[in-house]
Amino acid sequence: MQTIVFYSLAFAAVFSAILLVSLRNIARSLFLFFVVLFAVAGLYLFALADFVAITQVMVYVGGILILMLFAFMLSNREMFRQLQRGTAHFIAIPVWQALPIAILFLTVMLYTALHVGRNEPPWITASREAGTVIRAADNTVEQLGVHTMTHYLLPFEVVSVLLMMALIGAAHLARKEGDA
């Protein structure tokens, strides 16, 4: 069952991402981006990165994607019409650019798949020998929460202020010129 769920999430992420970059309708692309982000969060759960999965949903889906939807709804429609008229191809980049990029990605993926497990970094070997490998029963969210609210409180607050500034800037850019 785990294998079926994993491959379903991986297929949903890849297929939605391909459709995301090939559609010309921006609203539909944003909703496909929603599917991609949720599928990737599910894949993070399979990698035992529960904190990253929660962060993926809360920050990217809950914040950035909603911000993009609001920017789309509040922005100038004429600009989007011009963007959508830009190309008549199914994929926006020309084939002569897309083909080398696809071949390069395939080469990197094949190289990684063939060499996984070989020349393992020493810190992974030392972690395996010491028995400090993260297991499914470990509570990593609690450990990360304690570190975030003690040792890394100042950087955490600085990032929150920067995100608030970005939100205010996006609201300012999305507002109409005549509004006060």
Side-chain angles (χ1 to χ4, degrees):
M1 185 65 183
Q2 291 176 352
T3 307
I4 293 171
V5 172
F6 174 79
Y7 282 115
S8 299
L9 286 172
F11 177 77
V14 170
F15 185 71
S16 298
I18 289 171
L19 281 177
L20 168 75
V21 298
S22 12
L23 286 179
R24 294 173 58 188
N25 188 331
I26 296 173
R28 289 184 180 148
S29 294
L30 285 173
F31 287 113
L32 282 171
F33 190 44
F34 181 77
V35 173
V36 170
L37 291 175
F38 263 114
V40 169
L43 292 173
Y44 283 144
L45 287 176
F46 272 97
L48 299 178
D50 45 352
F51 180 76
V52 179
I54 292 168
T55 304
Q56 171 89 6
V57 171
M58 291 180 67
V59 173
Y60 289 106
V61 175
I64 294 174
L65 186 63
I66 299 303
L67 182 68
M68 290 169 68
L69 280 170
F70 279 128
F72 168 70
M73 290 188 299
L74 296 173
S75 62
N76 186 358
R77 295 271 184 196
E78 185 60 34
M79 178 184 70
F80 287 112
R81 285 191 202 108
Q82 289 174 359
L83 286 174
Q84 288 178 347
R85 278 183 268 156
T87 181
H89 298 11
F90 180 69
I91 297 177
I93 29 182
V95 175
W96 67 271
Q97 291 174 347
L99 191 61
I101 292 171
I103 290 172
L104 178 69
F105 279 133
L106 180 65
T107 305
V108 168
M109 286 176 26
L110 288 175
Y111 178 81
T112 304
L114 293 174
H115 290 83
V116 98
R118 294 185 196 167
N119 302 327
E120 191 172 71
W123 61 273
I124 292 179
T125 308
S127 177
R128 186 175 294 125
E129 290 171 357
T132 58
V133 177
I134 296 175
R135 294 177 190 5
D138 293 344
N139 193 353
T140 57
V141 174
E142 179 183 350
Q143 296 169 5
L144 286 169
V146 167
H147 285 299
T148 301
M149 292 299 145
T150 55
H151 302 297
Y152 302 110
L153 184 62
L154 181 63
F156 187 73
E157 291 299 323
V158 168
V159 167
S160 68
V161 169
L162 288 174
L163 287 173
M164 180 61 72
M165 289 170 44
L167 182 64
I168 291 169
H172 177 70
L173 290 174
R175 142 187 111 140
K176 303 277 187 224
E177 285 297 320
D179 295 344

